[in-house]
Amino acid sequence: MLNISIVVLVSFILVYSNIIILNEETLILICFVTFCFIAFNKLQNVVFEDFQSNSQKIKISLSKSFIELMNSLRLVFKHKYIFENIISNLQFLKNHFIAFGFLTSKKLPIYLENNVEVIYPKKLIFTQRLESQTSKLLALLLNYKLNKITNLQNFYTHNCKITTFLCINKITLREYLKVL
């Protein structure tokens, strides 16, 4: 470092010999240089530490961003690989679906024919049983209704002796005789 007494002595000689003129601008310049010199000497360690801490923060930030960039690149490559596999899997699925469609169209008529041969006899037997039971039920219902009608007619003709029923009975009897 410069010795302050040497600087003052040289300055005094330069001012005395009128090499340096002392006016406001020169005094401001001297004050500014002195301020910078003192600030540099006194604040040197603080500024250095601040710069060091800022550089460490920047270094950490850069390393984190680099790690994130690497992770995102790995993820992109992984997705690219998966996407390529999806395309090949979809191609395989398409081929399989076409083969399945052809095989199904070949085997479906045979399956339906076999299915018809198994199911329709059962349905026909069920329908035949249902028909026989329905015909028996209809016969029983018809017999029951006819018995009721004949019993009612017998009651009205013999017990009530209403002339209209007697007349109707004779008319129907004549019609039956004509048919025979």
Side-chain angles (χ1 to χ4, degrees):
M1 293 236 207
L2 293 173
N3 194 349
I4 200 105
S5 59
I6 294 174
V7 171
V8 170
L9 184 63
V10 170
S11 301
F12 185 70
I13 292 173
L14 289 174
V15 169
Y16 185 74
S17 61
N18 283 332
I19 294 177
I20 297 178
I21 301 172
L22 284 179
N23 58 11
E24 295 91 18
E25 288 100 12
T26 310
L27 289 174
I28 290 173
L29 178 66
I30 292 171
C31 289
F32 179 72
V33 170
T34 308
F35 171 77
C36 288
F37 181 73
I38 292 171
F40 178 74
N41 285 338
K42 297 293 181 185
L43 298 175
Q44 177 181 358
N45 292 334
V46 175
V47 171
F48 179 75
E49 289 172 3
D50 186 46
F51 284 158
Q52 284 293 77
S53 68
N54 284 343
S55 70
Q56 286 296 329
K57 287 178 185 176
I58 291 171
K59 185 178 180 181
I60 290 171
S61 174
L62 284 175
S63 66
K64 282 183 180 179
S65 66
F66 180 72
I67 290 170
E68 287 178 7
L69 179 67
M70 291 301 292
N71 288 337
S72 66
L73 285 175
R74 282 189 197 118
L75 189 64
V76 165
F77 286 128
K78 179 182 174 184
H79 285 292
K80 181 182 176 189
Y81 178 72
I82 289 172
F83 185 70
E84 288 173 355
N85 284 342
I86 286 174
I87 292 173
S88 64
N89 287 343
L90 287 175
Q91 186 70 27
F92 175 73
L93 184 64
K94 178 189 123 185
N95 294 337
H96 182 69
F97 184 70
I98 290 171
F100 176 72
F102 284 136
L103 185 65
T104 303
S105 65
K106 267 186 178 178
K107 299 287 182 174
L108 186 63
I110 298 169
Y111 171 75
L112 289 176
E113 186 177 319
N114 291 339
N115 199 11
V116 165
E117 288 176 0
V118 170
I119 290 176
Y120 278 140
K122 291 179 183 178
K123 287 184 178 181
L124 289 174
I125 291 171
F126 175 74
T127 307
Q128 187 179 14
R129 287 181 188 163
L130 189 64
E131 271 182 9
S132 67
Q133 290 178 359
T134 306
S135 64
K136 287 178 187 177
L137 181 65
L138 284 175
L140 287 173
L141 283 174
L142 190 61
N143 189 16
Y144 177 72
K145 289 289 184 180
L146 285 174
N147 276 338
K148 274 179 104 179
I149 290 171
T150 54
N151 286 339
L152 277 175
Q153 192 175 15
N154 189 19
F155 173 76
Y156 286 132
T157 53
H158 293 297
N159 292 344
C160 289
K161 295 198 180 199
I162 299 174
T163 55
T164 51
F165 285 117
L166 291 173
C167 183
I168 290 174
N169 193 16
K170 288 179 184 176
I171 291 171
T172 55
L173 185 61
R174 282 186 196 150
E175 287 178 357
Y176 286 139
L177 288 176
K178 283 183 185 178
V179 171
L180 291 174

